[in-house]
Amino acid sequence: MHLAPRVLRRAVAGATVALLATAVGCAPQPEEKAASTPSGSSANTCAKGELATETSGKLTIATDQPAYEPWFKDDKPANGEGFESAVAYAVAEQLGYDKSAVVWQSVPFNKAFAPGVKTFDFDINQVSISDERRKAVDFSSGYYDVRQAVIALKGTKAAEATDIADLKGLKLGAQVGTTSLDYIDDVVKPTRDAAVYAKNDQAKSALKNGQVDAIVTDLPTAFYITSAEVTDAEIVGQFENQGGTPEQFGLVLDKGSALTSCVTGAVDALREDGTLAKIEQQWLSDAVDAPVLK
């Protein structure tokens, strides 16, 4: 049964932490480091290729299906193409797992960060880090800073919007459970209830069919939609970051996962050595700018 080995791993991790605490006494931890340490076992040595993964010797990575561009290519996460596929394999390599040791799993977007035991080691699917989601899951540090954008059909009233006030009377749509939907509800605060869709594909169809005036997605997705999928649509603009800090995508892990600190360390290393910037330049270079809606 799946729960048994996970409970056992957590029990072992807890015992290890207790033993280490006895050995080192009460040596103070620097305040900054303590504040930034993610939940999960800090006692994990992160030995390359020898982590306490779901399947020994393998790294199980989850994402939704279909896997959209520009995050993935041709709906094939395992091919290493697209921003998130490339990031996933870079993280895997940093952890000591080559491409042949990576196993992909399909997990719906909302289920990835819902409460409950996970069947993956980490999930990568444009999931924004938030305090609310941290109640149910762990996150790595951010691997991409993102903004939300509005898409409308060319020549429509929605396409002429220049600020948030112009959006308030429109029928807006977004995928369920996303920060895109949060921006509609919390930033635009439209006079009409937002249309909520299980998948971005459904939101795009609603836009094309005139069922909504505009939809909200992350900016790179907006660039791809308007250039390759709904070519008679355009990006109306992007929203400013809320709260003074950028919205970031993070890798999702089980709450209290022993892998959290290791995966965070891998993401941090890839940011520091420029790997994340190179991958972003390769796959997201077109998603660079759009008017800001204030």
Side-chain angles (χ1 to χ4, degrees):
M1 186 175 177
H2 180 70
L3 287 174
R6 184 176 291 279
V7 171
L8 179 59
R9 289 205 301 271
R10 287 178 178 168
V12 172
T16 303
V17 171
L19 288 172
L20 285 177
T22 303
V24 301
C26 298
Q29 185 179 22
E31 187 174 342
E32 277 189 14
K33 188 172 182 180
S36 62
T37 301
S39 55
S41 172
S42 60
N44 189 359
T45 63
C46 302
K48 290 201 169 187
E50 299 179 8
L51 305 183
T53 55
E54 287 291 322
T55 302
S56 180
K58 301 287 185 180
L59 188 68
T60 303
I61 304 176
T63 196
D64 201 355
Q65 190 176 32
Y68 298 108
E69 298 192 28
W71 311 107
F72 299 91
K73 187 75 172 175
D74 300 326
D75 193 19
K76 295 177 181 178
N79 64 15
E81 298 184 36
F83 179 76
E84 289 193 328
S85 181
V87 168
Y89 281 116
V91 170
E93 183 177 358
Q94 193 71 29
L95 293 172
Y97 297 87
D98 61 25
K99 195 169 183 178
S100 65
V102 172
V103 178
W104 285 91
Q105 184 181 103
S106 177
V107 173
F109 178 82
N110 270 352
K111 190 174 180 181
F113 51 86
V117 175
K118 308 306 177 191
T119 56
F120 51 77
D121 294 311
F122 68 77
D123 178 278
I124 183 167
N125 190 25
Q126 307 113 66
V127 181
S128 295
I129 300 169
S130 72
D131 290 339
E132 182 64 26
R133 290 172 178 172
R134 283 187 189 277
K135 295 175 183 178
V137 294
D138 280 359
F139 281 99
S140 71
S141 52
Y143 61 87
Y144 181 66
D145 296 356
V146 66
R147 284 192 177 191
Q148 300 300 315
V150 179
I151 306 169
L153 296 180
K154 295 175 183 177
T156 62
K157 180 181 177 181
E160 297 173 358
T162 58
D163 57 27
I164 292 173
D166 291 337
L167 302 174
K168 288 186 178 295
L170 302 179
K171 182 67 174 180
L172 305 175
Q175 183 177 348
V176 65
T178 60
T179 51
S180 302
L181 183 58
D182 291 339
Y183 267 75
I184 295 175
D185 293 336
D186 302 335
V187 177
V188 179
K189 300 177 181 178
T191 57
R192 304 164 67 183
D193 290 341
V196 183
Y197 302 96
K199 299 279 187 181
N200 254 339
D201 278 345
Q202 295 171 351
K204 288 182 290 187
S205 294
L207 178 65
K208 287 191 288 186
N209 296 333
Q211 294 169 305
V212 292
D213 298 311
I215 60 173
V216 179
T217 71
D218 59 77
L219 187 57
T221 297
F223 271 96
Y224 182 76
I225 289 172
T226 54
S227 65
E229 295 183 318
V230 189
T231 54
D232 58 342
E234 62 182 276
I235 296 174
V236 178
Q238 62 179 311
F239 294 105
E240 292 183 299
N241 289 319
Q242 301 300 301
T245 56
E247 178 184 347
Q248 292 187 314
F249 292 157
L251 305 178
V252 182
L253 299 96
D254 199 4
K255 187 67 176 175
S257 172
L259 302 182
T260 301
S261 59
C262 300
V263 173
T264 288
V267 172
D268 290 344
L270 294 172
R271 185 178 291 277
E272 289 168 10
D273 70 12
T275 299
L276 288 181
K278 290 177 182 176
I279 296 173
E280 181 178 335
Q281 177 62 31
Q282 179 179 0
W283 294 106
L284 303 180
S285 59
D286 290 337
V288 292
D289 200 16
V292 177
L293 300 166
K294 296 183 180 181

